[in-house]
Amino acid sequence: MPSPALTEGVFYILLSLVKPMHGYGIMQNTEQLSRGRIRLAAGTLYGAITNLLDKGWIEALAGELDNRNKKQYVITNLGKAVLEDEINRLEELAANGRKILSGQEEQQ
């Protein structure tokens, strides 16, 4: 079963966590990757992190659990699969859009 469509913020959070990162780093990386379109407030980010942890898409790194300000997270294999599903979905959307806009859609 395919994964549900991701919000742009969750997409960039997962993408950011391909490498271990702490919350503030995720906020900065997401803003940079989205060219400033996505600016995550701390409450939004940590709500998303809690949700992603609950789904098993990310995990907190073991050595970082004691220092709350420096807690780092990383994407799990399940999270990578979800991210890959989303990339495939977005590629299909873009390909269909380009095909139709260029007048190459099939007549049915």
Side-chain angles (χ1 to χ4, degrees):
M1 179 174 171
S3 305
L6 303 179
T7 64
E8 199 170 357
V10 168
F11 177 84
Y12 280 119
I13 291 169
L14 289 174
L15 196 58
S16 294
L17 291 177
V18 168
K19 295 182 179 179
M21 198 170 287
H22 56 79
Y24 185 66
I26 297 167
M27 290 167 59
Q28 290 180 310
N29 198 54
T30 296
E31 186 172 346
Q32 179 184 10
L33 288 171
S34 69
R35 298 182 193 170
R37 256 188 353 275
I38 306 296
R39 291 185 178 157
L40 298 171
T44 301
L45 173 64
Y46 287 104
I49 285 174
T50 298
N51 188 29
L52 296 172
L53 287 166
D54 290 345
K55 290 180 177 184
W57 295 359
I58 67 171
E59 62 187 6
L61 292 179
E64 304 295 331
L65 297 176
D66 296 332
N67 186 344
R68 187 171 170 101
N69 293 330
K70 297 292 183 182
K71 189 183 294 186
Q72 289 194 336
Y73 304 92
V74 68
I75 194 168
T76 63
N77 287 334
L78 177 59
K80 286 178 185 176
V82 168
L83 190 57
E84 186 65 38
D85 283 349
E86 181 67 1
I87 290 167
N88 291 335
R89 186 186 75 82
L90 294 170
E91 287 173 341
E92 180 183 327
L93 286 172
N96 288 332
R98 285 187 192 101
K99 183 170 55 174
I100 290 172
L101 286 176
S102 69
Q104 295 177 1
E105 73 277 5
E106 294 181 25
Q107 299 295 324
Q108 294 187 14

